[in-house]
Amino acid sequence: MILEALSYGFMQKALIAGIAVGLICSFMGTFLVLRRYSLFGDGIAHVAFGGISVGLFLGVFPLWTAFIVSIFGGLGLQKLRQSTKISGDSAVAVVLVSGLAVGVILVSSSGGFSVDLFSFLFGSILLISQEDTIMILALSAGIIATLTILQKQFLHLTFNEEQAKLAGMRTTLLNYAFVVLASITVVTSMRLVGILLISALIVIPNITAMQFGKGFKKTVFISMSISVISVVSGILVSYFLNVAPSGTIVVIAVGILVGTLLLKSTGLLGKIDIKNPSKLTHNS
Amino acid sequence: MSVTNVLDVKDLTVNYDNLPAVDNISFDVKQGDCLGIIGPNGAGKTTLFRAILGLQPYSGNIKLFGYEDSKYDSIVPLIGYVPQKVTFEPNFPATVYDVVSMGLISDKRIVQGVKLIQQCDCCWNRIYQSIEKNDDKITQALHTVGLESLRNRRIGELSGGELQRVFIAKALVKDPLLLILDEPVASVDVESQTKFYNVIKTINEQNNITIIWSSHDLDAISKYANRVACMNKKIFFHGEKEKFFSDKELLKMYTESSMQMHMHNHEH
């Protein structure tokens, strides 16, 4: 039955794009969650909604306008945090509602909600084209490569910004690079789970992975694994049950988090050896 | 050849809301010194360090290895700084090894800074061995602070004393030319304090790293520093340790100003 599902072209594209998005969201999400930018994804996705509306209003490919507007939104958010005393969560709220407001105005003046807009709001992974898949793959490869190259700098910046500055890092520039990369990640991933659920993919696999109490590399690896498992199983389950894939992916990710928390509360989690998950170690 | 000091501070003043936290102080630090800065809470020790590191606006003049703040970007990465408290997320997924490895800076940066310092007329004969393998450097730094066995432990699980030693290792891993420690044992038990001070002594004597550290513990200063600066917003004394401890008037003045500060803090 699974093989039959996998034989369809739309399923193959959905799974390939889904895995790529799962990987970038969880990798980028590790830094976002640790920097207390958990709702950054939500903020930028709503700005992207404004960007999509601009595209639909002007008759341009909406994803491009979403990218441009979101990157400016991310930079604006960073500037707001740096140059004023507005706290991170309030800055996200300002940027979020601004994007949404612009979007609503443009949507109403161009004749209301269209199918296109709905697919951005709730995700449309099963409907993506070959061009979209290639674009998601290319952007994901770029994001993963950049994150891999800059991971030491981002880790230091995330751990303690002042210490990173004293180590000679150009923290202001790195902070801007960080928000631009995060904005591109959010917009690239929107097709999978939609604007309204994007934060789930950024936050949930990471907080689950952090329950394992491991070092940085292992935590990123666990988070990526949980993300990919949620996406793949979510797409397959949604196909068989004929329900929305975005919601299914998020419900599975939440399920894994709840399961992990239960295991942790019973004391079993600390005993699982990550290198050898089937064995329980006796020294802890 | 004239000898350039590691640090020259001249007429330094730092104000918070028009009130001086550091009031017109001048002192210098020579290569190989282990300078203990002593002063009560609120004496301006942390503010002084932050000004030296370029984290705090000030008036006056600070020179590191003969250079003023325009060259800070190249020189500050060669200084190891351990603040009184490093704040981080308690669940931060980083091991001791991860944190120490953050101390490594890019070779490009090291070369820039070292070139600059060797160009100046300082006594530095050291030729930088920056091509050493990073892993060896981390292992060596962990060995110096006695934390090899905890290298894979998550930092959130460490005690206050162990954490302080991790941050010293992080500062040491880049082979600093100067190590600045801000009240390094403030949150550490007595047994760990002795261990810690012995590490400081080794770093200073065997690795020949210049150290500036602050404390309000006269005993520790008398045992482990070779020079003393006594400050309470102003500098009351700066010189050889023996001179400070043999001067009854100075000791009395320090104890009194310390007591006053203590009472003042309690009143608020």
Side-chain angles (χ1 to χ4, degrees):
Chain A
M1 223 159 87
I2 290 180
L3 280 179
E4 186 203 323
L6 293 178
S7 67
Y8 294 115
F10 72 91
M11 281 297 276
Q12 291 164 2
K13 279 182 284 184
L15 286 170
I16 291 169
I19 290 169
V21 163
L23 291 175
I24 55 171
C25 279
S26 52
F27 200 176
M28 194 72 224
T30 309
F31 298 108
L32 286 168
V33 168
L34 287 170
R35 298 191 76 180
R36 301 199 171 200
Y37 271 54
S38 286
L39 286 178
F40 177 92
D42 238 12
I44 291 304
H46 283 77
V47 173
F49 170 77
I52 287 161
S53 316
V54 171
L56 292 174
F57 183 74
L58 297 174
V60 208
F61 186 49
L63 211 54
W64 296 132
T65 46
F67 270 117
I68 295 165
V69 172
S70 302
I71 289 171
F72 280 111
L75 291 171
L77 185 78
Q78 184 60 21
K79 188 77 190 155
L80 210 57
R81 280 184 62 149
Q82 266 179 357
S83 8
T84 62
K85 284 187 175 166
I86 298 174
S87 68
D89 58 342
S90 308
V92 168
V94 171
V95 170
L96 185 151
V97 292
S98 310
L100 199 56
V102 171
V104 169
I105 292 171
L106 291 177
V107 165
S108 64
S109 61
S110 61
F113 284 83
S114 63
V115 179
D116 250 12
L117 204 53
F118 264 105
S119 78
F120 281 110
L121 280 177
F122 300 104
S124 56
I125 190 74
L126 299 178
L127 299 175
I128 65 166
S129 64
Q130 190 150 352
E131 291 76 35
D132 281 348
T133 314
I134 292 168
M135 190 190 74
I136 289 176
L137 278 181
L139 284 169
S140 303
I143 291 165
I144 289 179
T146 316
L147 279 177
T148 310
I149 294 166
L150 291 177
Q151 64 168 321
K152 274 191 181 165
Q153 279 92 329
F154 282 155
L155 183 65
H156 206 167
L157 193 69
T158 305
F159 184 69
N160 189 297
E161 195 162 330
E162 194 170 278
Q163 292 259 319
K165 194 176 176 188
L166 288 173
M169 286 178 197
R170 291 180 175 85
T171 47
T172 310
L173 192 68
L174 274 172
N175 270 325
Y176 283 122
F178 180 79
V179 290
V180 168
L181 208 59
S183 305
I184 297 174
T185 306
V186 169
V187 180
T188 308
S189 313
M190 272 174 4
R191 293 305 290 265
L192 181 66
V193 286
I195 290 167
L196 298 175
L197 286 171
I198 186 70
S199 272
L201 269 193
I202 287 173
V203 177
I204 297 170
N206 278 299
I207 48 176
T208 311
M210 282 169 203
Q211 305 305 317
F212 286 77
K214 299 290 167 189
F216 179 71
K217 282 184 181 159
K218 279 183 186 167
T219 303
V220 171
F221 176 75
I222 298 169
S223 165
M224 283 178 155
S225 310
I226 292 170
S227 187
V228 169
I229 291 169
S230 311
V231 169
V232 171
S233 53
I235 291 173
L236 289 173
V237 169
S238 72
Y239 169 80
F240 291 120
L241 300 182
N242 199 20
V243 286
S246 55
T248 317
I249 292 168
V250 176
V251 165
I252 290 174
V254 173
I256 297 174
L257 171 65
V258 172
T260 311
L261 289 172
L262 285 175
L263 271 179
K264 199 179 179 187
S265 68
T266 56
L268 268 171
L269 192 63
K271 293 179 183 169
I272 297 172
D273 183 352
I274 298 301
K275 276 185 195 157
N276 222 340
S278 59
K279 288 184 184 169
L280 294 182
T281 52
H282 297 287
N283 56 358
S284 47
Chain B
M1 199 166 87
S2 69
V3 173
T4 305
N5 287 329
V6 169
L7 174 68
D8 281 295
V9 174
K10 203 163 181 290
D11 307 329
L12 176 78
T13 297
V14 180
N15 286 320
Y16 289 129
D17 298 328
N18 291 328
L19 289 171
V22 171
D23 192 2
N24 197 28
I25 67 171
S26 300
F27 68 99
D28 59 37
V29 180
K30 295 185 172 52
Q31 205 240 317
D33 273 357
C34 183
L35 173 72
I37 298 186
I38 192 156
N41 285 333
K45 303 185 294 290
T46 303
T47 307
L48 167 67
F49 290 156
R50 292 179 63 81
I52 293 171
L53 293 160
L55 295 170
Q56 177 74 51
Y58 59 85
S59 63
N61 193 289
I62 300 174
K63 279 184 181 173
L64 278 166
F65 300 94
Y67 283 94
E68 285 181 53
D69 52 2
S70 58
K71 300 284 183 193
Y72 265 31
D73 282 356
S74 302
I75 293 178
V76 166
L78 302 176
I79 299 174
Y81 171 56
V82 182
Q84 202 171 343
K85 199 171 169 55
V86 179
T87 48
F88 59 88
E89 283 283 315
N91 284 329
F92 201 94
T95 58
V96 168
Y97 186 91
D98 289 335
V99 173
V100 176
S101 71
M102 286 179 203
L104 290 166
I105 42 176
S106 77
D107 288 350
K108 201 175 135 203
R109 284 264 161 182
I110 294 174
V111 172
Q112 265 178 11
V114 171
K115 264 189 190 162
L116 201 64
I117 287 163
Q118 286 184 342
Q119 270 169 20
C120 77
D121 220 8
C122 81
C123 53
W124 216 258
N125 291 323
R126 176 186 193 131
I127 294 165
Y128 226 91
Q129 308 283 330
S130 70
I131 316 298
E132 252 182 285
K133 274 192 179 164
N134 289 345
D135 193 54
D136 293 348
K137 280 188 176 175
I138 296 168
T139 308
Q140 181 60 41
L142 286 173
H143 174 76
T144 309
V145 299
L147 282 181
E148 289 149 301
S149 58
L150 298 183
R151 65 190 274 145
N152 293 322
R153 183 76 62 87
R154 213 160 55 96
I155 46 155
E157 297 166 3
L158 300 181
S159 70
E162 287 163 343
L163 258 184
Q164 274 299 349
R165 283 190 280 158
V166 171
F167 291 116
I168 300 263
K170 177 173 178 282
L172 281 179
V173 74
K174 60 180 166 185
D175 288 338
L177 304 181
L178 166 66
L179 194 58
I180 298 180
L181 311 166
D182 190 2
E183 294 197 21
V185 293
S187 57
V188 179
D189 63 76
V190 180
E191 195 191 334
S192 308
Q193 283 186 15
T194 315
K195 267 191 206 162
F196 180 84
Y197 283 128
N198 286 327
V199 169
I200 304 268
K201 218 175 160 68
T202 314
I203 295 167
N204 178 240
E205 288 172 2
Q206 291 178 16
N207 303 19
N208 195 27
I209 292 173
T210 310
I211 296 179
I212 306 176
W213 57 288
S214 65
S215 175
H216 33 88
D217 181 352
L218 275 175
D219 256 8
I221 297 270
S222 74
K223 276 186 203 154
Y224 301 99
N226 64 7
R227 285 168 73 83
V228 177
C230 177
M231 78 177 284
N232 192 355
K233 308 215 189 305
K234 290 177 179 297
I235 286 221
F236 294 98
F237 172 84
H238 170 235
E240 297 303 320
K241 170 177 76 179
E242 292 73 17
K243 209 169 154 194
F244 176 75
F245 284 99
S246 62
D247 190 330
K248 295 270 159 22
E249 278 299 304
L250 258 175
L251 273 175
K252 198 176 156 218
M253 196 168 81
Y254 171 75
T255 324
E256 276 170 9
S257 86
S258 175
M259 280 293 287
Q260 271 173 11
M261 186 58 77
H262 188 70
M263 286 163 70
H264 181 78
N265 285 345
H266 269 262
E267 280 166 16
H268 290 78

